[in-house]
Amino acid sequence: MLREIRQNEKISYHIEGPFFIIRLVKPDNLNALEGEDYIYLGELLELADKNSDVYFTILQSTGRFFSSGADFKGIARAQMDDGVKYASETSKWLSNFVARNVYVTDAFIKHSKVLVCCLNGPAIGLSAALVALCDIVYSINDKVYLLYPFANLGLITEGGTSVSLPLKFGPNATYERLVFNKPFKYDIMCQNGFISKNFRMPSSDAEAFNEEVLKELREKVEGLYLPSCLGMKKLLKANHIDSFNKINSLEVNGSLQYWVDGEPLRRFGQLSSKERKHRL
Ligand code: CAA
C-alpha cells in the first residue's frame, strides 16, 4: 500500500512495474535543488524502499544538466532566514545544512532497491555525490561529467564522497580532482566502469534517452527472479556500509564549522553574481 506523499514542483515520481522512477523536472536552473528538495528526494527513496512491488529506483532528469547541485538562491535565503530565531550560527547551520545533508545521504546509503542513474548531463556538488552512490549509471553521451567543487566553495567532501569517490575512481585520481577542483570526466568514468553504457544520443534528447534506458531495463529484467537482485545488492553493500555510515557523520560534522565561519556563503554569493566560476 503506497502512503501519500507531498508533491514537489522540481521533482516528480511514478511507479511502473518494478521501477520507481524519480525525475528532476526543473531544467531552467539546471535542476539545482534546495534543502527541502533534497529532503523530498530522501522521502521518495523511503517510499520506494517500503513498496514491496518495487525492485529498482531510477533517477532521471531533464534538460542539459542532470543537476547543478545546491541552489545558491536557497543558500542565500537560509542565510537571511529571519522567520526562525536561531540561538547561534551553529544552530542555524545544523538545521539548514547538517540535517538535510545527513538525511538524504543516509537515504541513499541504506536504500535497499537497485539504484539506477540516467545521467543525461553533468552533475555537481551534492547531486553528483548522490550519483556516486548509485549502483548502475548510464550516460546519454560522452559530454557528461561529475564536479565536486568543494575546494572552490570553501567546503569539504560531503554526501559520502570521501568513501564513494576513492572506491569508484581510486584514491589518487580522487585527490587530484577534489584538491584542484577538477571534474571527473567521461574518460575516467568509463575507465573505471562507473558508466555501464553510453547511449550516444544528443544532449538535447534527455527525454528520448530516459525512455531508451527504461526500454532496455524492461528487457533486461524479463525472466529474472527479482528478489535475487535485492539479495545481491544487500551483500554487495555489506562490503562498505560501515564506512559509509561512519563518513556521513564525519563529513557533516566537519563541514559545520566551515558554514559557521562563513566562507561558503561568501563564495556561493560570488557564484550567484557570476564573479566566481568553476573551472571545467
Ligand atoms: N543554483 C541556482 N541556480 C543555478 C545553479 C545553482 N546551483 N546552477 C545554475 N543555475 C542557474 C543559473 O543562475 C542560470 O540562471 P539564469 O539563466 O536565470 O541566469 C541558469 O541556471 C543557467 O546557468 P548558467 O548560465 O550558469 O549555465 P552555464 O552552462 O554557463 O554554467 C554551471 C553551468 C557550470 C553549472 C554554472 O551554472 C554553475 O557553476 N553553477 C553552480 C554549480 C554549483 O556550484 N553548485 C553547488 C555545488 S556545492 C553542493 O551542492 C554542496 C552543498 O550541499 C552546499
Side-chain angles (χ1 to χ4, degrees):
M1 181 69 178
L2 195 62
R3 85 174 151 83
E4 285 296 312
I5 187 164
R6 65 195 163 97
Q7 302 290 308
N8 178 303
E9 58 160 20
K10 295 180 209 162
I11 305 171
S12 71
Y13 77 95
H14 66 281
I15 297 170
E16 191 193 305
F19 307 120
F20 190 102
I21 301 164
I22 299 173
R23 185 178 298 161
L24 308 184
V25 290
K26 195 78 176 161
D28 301 355
N29 69 348
L30 312 183
N31 294 296
L33 300 174
E34 296 192 39
E36 279 300 329
D37 306 319
Y38 282 114
I39 292 171
Y40 186 69
L41 260 186
E43 289 180 58
L44 287 181
L45 256 64
E46 278 187 41
L47 201 59
D49 241 342
K50 285 181 185 142
N51 188 325
S52 56
D53 295 329
V54 166
Y55 290 86
F56 296 83
T57 301
I58 301 180
L59 298 181
Q60 300 179 338
S61 188
T62 48
R64 63 188 174 99
F65 266 65
F66 179 79
S67 168
S68 63
D71 187 321
F72 37 66
K73 293 179 194 102
I75 289 171
R77 258 198 300 282
Q79 166 63 358
M80 320 283 258
D81 192 352
D82 294 331
V84 186
K85 258 254 152 305
Y86 292 103
S88 62
E89 283 294 297
T90 301
S91 169
K92 178 195 284 181
W93 294 110
L94 275 169
S95 294
N96 285 305
F97 169 77
V98 172
R100 69 127 210 251
N101 225 291
V102 81
Y103 171 73
V104 68
T105 303
D106 183 64
F108 274 74
I109 291 170
K110 72 179 182 210
H111 197 56
S112 66
K113 313 296 165 105
V114 180
L115 269 164
V116 179
C117 176
C118 306
L119 203 56
N120 62 304
I124 301 184
L126 182 55
S127 300
L130 301 180
V131 172
L133 289 173
C134 288
D135 304 313
I136 297 173
V137 178
Y138 298 115
S139 78
I140 189 166
N141 55 35
D142 60 6
K143 297 191 176 59
V144 299
Y145 62 80
L146 302 174
L147 178 72
Y148 303 91
F150 307 129
N152 198 26
L153 293 173
L155 288 165
I156 55 173
T157 32
E158 60 182 60
T161 47
S162 316
V163 170
S164 63
L165 300 182
L167 188 68
K168 296 195 172 185
F169 299 110
N172 291 21
T174 298
Y175 269 102
E176 170 72 18
R177 285 163 183 79
L178 287 182
V179 170
F180 301 119
N181 188 38
K182 287 159 61 174
F184 290 78
K185 293 199 169 166
Y186 174 78
D187 292 5
I188 188 166
M189 290 200 263
C190 246
Q191 279 159 26
N192 289 279
F194 185 92
I195 289 177
S196 302
K197 179 174 173 182
N198 173 356
F199 278 69
R200 299 178 197 282
M201 295 171 81
S203 299
S204 53
D205 270 1
E207 208 172 315
F209 163 63
N210 290 332
E211 195 37 59
E212 198 55 35
V213 173
L214 258 188
K215 189 171 151 241
E216 280 204 9
L217 285 174
R218 281 185 213 108
E219 288 164 11
K220 280 182 179 167
V221 302
E222 228 169 84
L224 299 180
Y225 183 60
L226 296 180
S228 293
C229 302
L230 298 192
M232 288 188 282
K233 159 134 193 187
K234 198 171 172 184
L235 292 168
L236 288 164
K237 210 166 64 159
N239 287 314
H240 310 293
I241 190 79
D242 292 343
S243 312
F244 275 117
N245 282 332
K246 177 174 145 195
I247 210 65
N248 193 17
S249 164
L250 290 175
E251 284 179 341
V252 288
N253 285 309
S255 292
L256 179 60
Q257 196 54 49
Y258 290 75
W259 287 102
V260 170
D261 290 346
E263 191 60 24
L265 285 169
R266 202 173 68 77
R267 288 173 178 251
F268 267 104
Q270 292 169 339
L271 204 60
S272 178
S273 59
K274 302 204 192 274
E275 284 166 65
R276 178 171 296 277
K277 281 196 185 312
H278 296 311
R279 269 184 249 131
L280 297 170

